[in-house]
PDB file of all heavy atoms in Angstrom:
ATOM      1  N   GLU A 143      72.576 211.403 167.903  1.00 90.00           N
ATOM      2  CA  GLU A 143      73.599 212.010 168.832  1.00 90.00           C
ATOM      3  C   GLU A 143      74.841 212.219 168.078  1.00 90.00           C
ATOM      4  O   GLU A 143      75.488 213.228 168.151  1.00 90.00           O
ATOM      5  CB  GLU A 143      73.871 211.208 170.176  1.00 90.00           C
ATOM      6  CG  GLU A 143      72.683 211.102 171.057  1.00 90.00           C
ATOM      7  CD  GLU A 143      71.556 210.106 170.581  1.00 90.00           C
ATOM      8  OE1 GLU A 143      71.900 209.319 169.614  1.00 90.00           O
ATOM      9  OE2 GLU A 143      70.504 209.993 171.141  1.00 90.00           O
ATOM     10  N   GLU A 144      75.217 211.142 167.302  1.00 89.00           N
ATOM     11  CA  GLU A 144      76.495 211.250 166.465  1.00 89.00           C
ATOM     12  C   GLU A 144      76.292 212.345 165.468  1.00 89.00           C
ATOM     13  O   GLU A 144      77.284 212.998 165.047  1.00 89.00           O
ATOM     14  CB  GLU A 144      76.744 210.009 165.832  1.00 89.00           C
ATOM     15  CG  GLU A 144      78.184 209.871 165.340  1.00 89.00           C
ATOM     16  CD  GLU A 144      78.501 208.445 164.766  1.00 89.00           C
ATOM     17  OE1 GLU A 144      77.701 207.507 164.911  1.00 89.00           O
ATOM     18  OE2 GLU A 144      79.595 208.294 164.260  1.00 89.00           O
ATOM     19  N   ARG A 145      75.194 212.408 164.779  1.00 87.00           N
ATOM     20  CA  ARG A 145      74.941 213.508 163.760  1.00 87.00           C
ATOM     21  C   ARG A 145      75.093 214.869 164.369  1.00 87.00           C
ATOM     22  O   ARG A 145      75.773 215.826 163.889  1.00 87.00           O
ATOM     23  CB  ARG A 145      73.604 213.396 163.112  1.00 87.00           C
ATOM     24  CG  ARG A 145      73.469 212.050 162.296  1.00 87.00           C
ATOM     25  CD  ARG A 145      72.264 212.289 161.328  1.00 87.00           C
ATOM     26  NE  ARG A 145      70.974 212.599 161.953  1.00 87.00           N
ATOM     27  CZ  ARG A 145      70.068 211.681 162.263  1.00 87.00           C
ATOM     28  NH1 ARG A 145      70.252 210.479 161.880  1.00 87.00           N
ATOM     29  NH2 ARG A 145      68.916 212.094 162.846  1.00 87.00           N
ATOM     30  N   GLU A 146      74.528 215.078 165.535  1.00 89.00           N
ATOM     31  CA  GLU A 146      74.665 216.382 166.196  1.00 89.00           C
ATOM     32  C   GLU A 146      76.083 216.623 166.642  1.00 89.00           C
ATOM     33  O   GLU A 146      76.498 217.860 166.433  1.00 89.00           O
ATOM     34  CB  GLU A 146      73.766 216.447 167.416  1.00 89.00           C
ATOM     35  CG  GLU A 146      72.244 216.336 167.059  1.00 89.00           C
ATOM     36  CD  GLU A 146      71.393 216.372 168.337  1.00 89.00           C
ATOM     37  OE1 GLU A 146      71.949 216.256 169.351  1.00 89.00           O
ATOM     38  OE2 GLU A 146      70.205 216.496 168.137  1.00 89.00           O
ATOM     39  N   ARG A 147      76.852 215.681 166.941  1.00 89.00           N
ATOM     40  CA  ARG A 147      78.230 215.925 167.378  1.00 89.00           C
ATOM     41  C   ARG A 147      79.067 216.356 166.122  1.00 89.00           C
ATOM     42  O   ARG A 147      79.940 217.253 166.261  1.00 89.00           O
ATOM     43  CB  ARG A 147      78.818 214.610 167.905  1.00 89.00           C
ATOM     44  CG  ARG A 147      80.278 214.718 168.486  1.00 89.00           C
ATOM     45  CD  ARG A 147      80.705 213.500 169.033  1.00 89.00           C
ATOM     46  NE  ARG A 147      80.711 212.359 168.018  1.00 89.00           N
ATOM     47  CZ  ARG A 147      81.583 212.180 167.069  1.00 89.00           C
ATOM     48  NH1 ARG A 147      82.666 212.946 166.932  1.00 89.00           N
ATOM     49  NH2 ARG A 147      81.359 211.183 166.202  1.00 89.00           N
ATOM     50  N   ILE A 148      78.830 215.691 164.972  1.00 85.00           N
ATOM     51  CA  ILE A 148      79.653 216.032 163.735  1.00 85.00           C
ATOM     52  C   ILE A 148      79.348 217.479 163.324  1.00 85.00           C
ATOM     53  O   ILE A 148      80.172 218.116 162.878  1.00 85.00           O
ATOM     54  CB  ILE A 148      79.421 215.011 162.714  1.00 85.00           C
ATOM     55  CG1 ILE A 148      79.956 213.685 163.100  1.00 85.00           C
ATOM     56  CG2 ILE A 148      79.960 215.437 161.368  1.00 85.00           C
ATOM     57  CD1 ILE A 148      79.599 212.492 162.183  1.00 85.00           C
ATOM     58  N   GLN A 149      77.954 217.914 163.343  1.00 84.00           N
ATOM     59  CA  GLN A 149      77.757 219.186 162.997  1.00 84.00           C
ATOM     60  C   GLN A 149      78.230 220.203 163.863  1.00 84.00           C
ATOM     61  O   GLN A 149      78.752 221.227 163.443  1.00 84.00           O
ATOM     62  CB  GLN A 149      76.134 219.326 162.861  1.00 84.00           C
ATOM     63  CG  GLN A 149      75.481 218.489 161.783  1.00 84.00           C
ATOM     64  CD  GLN A 149      75.904 218.923 160.380  1.00 84.00           C
ATOM     65  OE1 GLN A 149      76.058 220.083 160.191  1.00 84.00           O
ATOM     66  NE2 GLN A 149      76.068 217.957 159.551  1.00 84.00           N
ATOM     67  N   SER A 150      78.281 219.977 165.224  1.00 87.00           N
ATOM     68  CA  SER A 150      78.857 220.956 166.093  1.00 87.00           C
ATOM     69  C   SER A 150      80.360 220.973 165.891  1.00 87.00           C
ATOM     70  O   SER A 150      80.929 222.165 166.072  1.00 87.00           O
ATOM     71  CB  SER A 150      78.540 220.454 167.530  1.00 87.00           C
ATOM     72  OG  SER A 150      79.201 219.249 167.909  1.00 87.00           O
ATOM     73  N   GLU A 151      80.980 219.923 165.517  1.00 86.00           N
ATOM     74  CA  GLU A 151      82.507 220.009 165.275  1.00 86.00           C
ATOM     75  C   GLU A 151      82.775 220.870 164.122  1.00 86.00           C
ATOM     76  O   GLU A 151      83.754 221.574 163.950  1.00 86.00           O
ATOM     77  CB  GLU A 151      83.078 218.585 165.001  1.00 86.00           C
ATOM     78  CG  GLU A 151      83.125 217.752 166.395  1.00 86.00           C
ATOM     79  CD  GLU A 151      83.639 216.400 166.082  1.00 86.00           C
ATOM     80  OE1 GLU A 151      83.875 215.971 164.994  1.00 86.00           O
ATOM     81  OE2 GLU A 151      83.828 215.580 167.149  1.00 86.00           O
ATOM     82  N   ILE A 152      81.876 220.698 163.011  1.00 81.00           N
ATOM     83  CA  ILE A 152      82.057 221.571 161.735  1.00 81.00           C
ATOM     84  C   ILE A 152      81.951 223.045 162.155  1.00 81.00           C
ATOM     85  O   ILE A 152      82.772 223.850 161.667  1.00 81.00           O
ATOM     86  CB  ILE A 152      81.141 221.098 160.701  1.00 81.00           C
ATOM     87  CG1 ILE A 152      81.442 219.820 160.207  1.00 81.00           C
ATOM     88  CG2 ILE A 152      81.124 222.091 159.542  1.00 81.00           C
ATOM     89  CD1 ILE A 152      80.471 219.153 159.261  1.00 81.00           C
ATOM     90  N   VAL A 153      80.966 223.408 162.923  1.00 82.00           N
ATOM     91  CA  VAL A 153      80.782 224.734 163.350  1.00 82.00           C
ATOM     92  C   VAL A 153      81.946 225.261 164.169  1.00 82.00           C
ATOM     93  O   VAL A 153      82.410 226.316 164.003  1.00 82.00           O
ATOM     94  CB  VAL A 153      79.482 224.923 164.197  1.00 82.00           C
ATOM     95  CG1 VAL A 153      79.343 226.300 164.788  1.00 82.00           C
ATOM     96  CG2 VAL A 153      78.310 224.596 163.321  1.00 82.00           C
ATOM     97  N   GLN A 154      82.498 224.401 165.006  1.00 84.00           N
ATOM     98  CA  GLN A 154      83.780 224.844 165.863  1.00 84.00           C
ATOM     99  C   GLN A 154      84.899 225.082 165.044  1.00 84.00           C
ATOM    100  O   GLN A 154      85.676 225.947 165.258  1.00 84.00           O
ATOM    101  CB  GLN A 154      83.925 223.799 167.000  1.00 84.00           C
ATOM    102  CG  GLN A 154      82.903 223.876 168.099  1.00 84.00           C
ATOM    103  CD  GLN A 154      83.103 222.743 169.090  1.00 84.00           C
ATOM    104  OE1 GLN A 154      84.169 222.046 168.955  1.00 84.00           O
ATOM    105  NE2 GLN A 154      82.278 222.537 170.080  1.00 84.00           N
ATOM    106  N   GLN A 155      85.061 224.256 163.988  1.00 82.00           N
ATOM    107  CA  GLN A 155      86.142 224.305 163.092  1.00 82.00           C
ATOM    108  C   GLN A 155      86.206 225.585 162.285  1.00 82.00           C
ATOM    109  O   GLN A 155      87.115 226.247 162.130  1.00 82.00           O
ATOM    110  CB  GLN A 155      86.208 223.089 162.161  1.00 82.00           C
ATOM    111  CG  GLN A 155      87.510 222.902 161.501  1.00 82.00           C
ATOM    112  CD  GLN A 155      87.615 221.693 160.679  1.00 82.00           C
ATOM    113  OE1 GLN A 155      86.549 220.958 160.595  1.00 82.00           O
ATOM    114  NE2 GLN A 155      88.749 221.327 160.162  1.00 82.00           N
ATOM    115  N   ARG A 156      84.946 226.031 161.910  1.00 76.00           N
ATOM    116  CA  ARG A 156      84.848 227.262 161.118  1.00 76.00           C
ATOM    117  C   ARG A 156      85.090 228.440 162.027  1.00 76.00           C
ATOM    118  O   ARG A 156      85.712 229.359 161.533  1.00 76.00           O
ATOM    119  CB  ARG A 156      83.359 227.441 160.591  1.00 76.00           C
ATOM    120  CG  ARG A 156      83.150 226.482 159.439  1.00 76.00           C
ATOM    121  CD  ARG A 156      81.734 226.686 158.795  1.00 76.00           C
ATOM    122  NE  ARG A 156      81.448 225.792 157.655  1.00 76.00           N
ATOM    123  CZ  ARG A 156      80.211 225.646 157.103  1.00 76.00           C
ATOM    124  NH1 ARG A 156      79.216 226.308 157.560  1.00 76.00           N
ATOM    125  NH2 ARG A 156      80.069 225.000 156.033  1.00 76.00           N
ATOM    126  N   ASP A 157      84.627 228.343 163.335  1.00 79.00           N
ATOM    127  CA  ASP A 157      84.996 229.546 164.221  1.00 79.00           C
ATOM    128  C   ASP A 157      86.438 229.602 164.397  1.00 79.00           C
ATOM    129  O   ASP A 157      87.034 230.655 164.624  1.00 79.00           O
ATOM    130  CB  ASP A 157      84.195 229.258 165.503  1.00 79.00           C
ATOM    131  CG  ASP A 157      82.705 229.353 165.433  1.00 79.00           C
ATOM    132  OD1 ASP A 157      82.261 229.946 164.353  1.00 79.00           O
ATOM    133  OD2 ASP A 157      82.019 228.837 166.302  1.00 79.00           O
ATOM    134  N   MET A 158      87.096 228.392 164.547  1.00 80.00           N
ATOM    135  CA  MET A 158      88.474 228.467 164.740  1.00 80.00           C
ATOM    136  C   MET A 158      89.269 229.031 163.546  1.00 80.00           C
ATOM    137  O   MET A 158      90.144 229.829 163.785  1.00 80.00           O
ATOM    138  CB  MET A 158      89.071 227.000 164.921  1.00 80.00           C
ATOM    139  CG  MET A 158      90.609 226.872 165.407  1.00 80.00           C
ATOM    140  SD  MET A 158      91.056 225.176 165.474  1.00 80.00           S
ATOM    141  CE  MET A 158      89.809 224.551 166.713  1.00 80.00           C
ATOM    142  N   TRP A 159      88.839 228.862 162.324  1.00 75.00           N
ATOM    143  CA  TRP A 159      89.408 229.403 161.143  1.00 75.00           C
ATOM    144  C   TRP A 159      89.252 230.960 161.120  1.00 75.00           C
ATOM    145  O   TRP A 159      90.106 231.706 160.779  1.00 75.00           O
ATOM    146  CB  TRP A 159      88.755 228.913 159.917  1.00 75.00           C
ATOM    147  CG  TRP A 159      89.320 227.454 159.600  1.00 75.00           C
ATOM    148  CD1 TRP A 159      90.534 226.991 159.876  1.00 75.00           C
ATOM    149  CD2 TRP A 159      88.646 226.447 158.963  1.00 75.00           C
ATOM    150  NE1 TRP A 159      90.706 225.627 159.494  1.00 75.00           N
ATOM    151  CE2 TRP A 159      89.450 225.295 158.954  1.00 75.00           C
ATOM    152  CE3 TRP A 159      87.350 226.220 158.425  1.00 75.00           C
ATOM    153  CZ2 TRP A 159      89.034 224.109 158.337  1.00 75.00           C
ATOM    154  CZ3 TRP A 159      86.997 225.066 157.871  1.00 75.00           C
ATOM    155  CH2 TRP A 159      87.844 224.041 157.854  1.00 75.00           C
ATOM    156  N   GLU A 160      88.067 231.395 161.679  1.00 71.00           N
ATOM    157  CA  GLU A 160      87.801 232.759 161.734  1.00 71.00           C
ATOM    158  C   GLU A 160      88.766 233.442 162.787  1.00 71.00           C
ATOM    159  O   GLU A 160      89.251 234.669 162.522  1.00 71.00           O
ATOM    160  CB  GLU A 160      86.332 233.100 162.078  1.00 71.00           C
ATOM    161  CG  GLU A 160      85.345 232.703 161.032  1.00 71.00           C
ATOM    162  CD  GLU A 160      85.413 233.671 159.769  1.00 71.00           C
ATOM    163  OE1 GLU A 160      85.911 234.841 159.963  1.00 71.00           O
ATOM    164  OE2 GLU A 160      85.178 233.141 158.646  1.00 71.00           O
ATOM    165  N   LYS A 161      88.932 232.768 163.878  1.00 73.00           N
ATOM    166  CA  LYS A 161      89.849 233.439 164.882  1.00 73.00           C
ATOM    167  C   LYS A 161      91.267 233.396 164.418  1.00 73.00           C
ATOM    168  O   LYS A 161      92.056 234.315 164.654  1.00 73.00           O
ATOM    169  CB  LYS A 161      89.795 232.543 166.179  1.00 73.00           C
ATOM    170  CG  LYS A 161      88.435 232.717 166.953  1.00 73.00           C
ATOM    171  CD  LYS A 161      88.418 231.841 168.121  1.00 73.00           C
ATOM    172  CE  LYS A 161      87.086 231.957 168.856  1.00 73.00           C
ATOM    173  NZ  LYS A 161      87.047 230.981 170.025  1.00 73.00           N
ATOM    174  N   LYS A 162      91.706 232.440 163.570  1.00 69.00           N
ATOM    175  CA  LYS A 162      93.110 232.371 163.083  1.00 69.00           C
ATOM    176  C   LYS A 162      93.377 233.552 162.213  1.00 69.00           C
ATOM    177  O   LYS A 162      94.521 234.089 162.117  1.00 69.00           O
ATOM    178  CB  LYS A 162      93.395 231.056 162.296  1.00 69.00           C
ATOM    179  CG  LYS A 162      93.635 229.896 163.310  1.00 69.00           C
ATOM    180  CD  LYS A 162      93.971 228.569 162.482  1.00 69.00           C
ATOM    181  CE  LYS A 162      94.240 227.433 163.398  1.00 69.00           C
ATOM    182  NZ  LYS A 162      94.534 226.277 162.619  1.00 69.00           N
ATOM    183  N   ARG A 163      92.354 233.963 161.442  1.00 63.00           N
ATOM    184  CA  ARG A 163      92.560 235.142 160.574  1.00 63.00           C
ATOM    185  C   ARG A 163      92.757 236.449 161.232  1.00 63.00           C
ATOM    186  O   ARG A 163      93.349 237.398 160.846  1.00 63.00           O
ATOM    187  CB  ARG A 163      91.216 235.391 159.703  1.00 63.00           C
ATOM    188  CG  ARG A 163      91.048 234.257 158.690  1.00 63.00           C
ATOM    189  CD  ARG A 163      89.847 234.401 157.950  1.00 63.00           C
ATOM    190  NE  ARG A 163      89.800 235.671 157.143  1.00 63.00           N
ATOM    191  CZ  ARG A 163      88.782 236.247 156.568  1.00 63.00           C
ATOM    192  NH1 ARG A 163      87.729 235.451 156.372  1.00 63.00           N
ATOM    193  NH2 ARG A 163      88.902 237.391 155.891  1.00 63.00           N
ATOM    194  N   LYS A 164      92.273 236.501 162.683  1.00 61.00           N
ATOM    195  CA  LYS A 164      92.371 237.725 163.360  1.00 61.00           C
ATOM    196  C   LYS A 164      93.565 237.674 164.279  1.00 61.00           C
ATOM    197  O   LYS A 164      93.830 238.632 165.193  1.00 61.00           O
ATOM    198  CB  LYS A 164      91.110 237.903 164.148  1.00 61.00           C
ATOM    199  CG  LYS A 164      89.971 238.112 163.391  1.00 61.00           C
ATOM    200  CD  LYS A 164      88.674 238.115 164.306  1.00 61.00           C
ATOM    201  CE  LYS A 164      87.379 238.268 163.401  1.00 61.00           C
ATOM    202  NZ  LYS A 164      86.202 238.399 164.218  1.00 61.00           N
TER     203      LYS A 164
END
Side-chain angles (χ1 to χ4, degrees):
E143 294 79 8
E144 191 175 0
R145 294 200 302 261
E146 293 177 352
R147 181 182 59 80
I148 293 175
Q149 290 298 323
S150 64
E151 288 178 356
I152 293 175
V153 173
Q154 290 177 1
Q155 196 173 9
R156 286 181 179 172
D157 294 340
M158 189 183 302
W159 287 327
E160 291 293 330
K161 289 179 181 178
K162 283 184 178 180
R163 292 178 58 184
K164 300 178 181 178

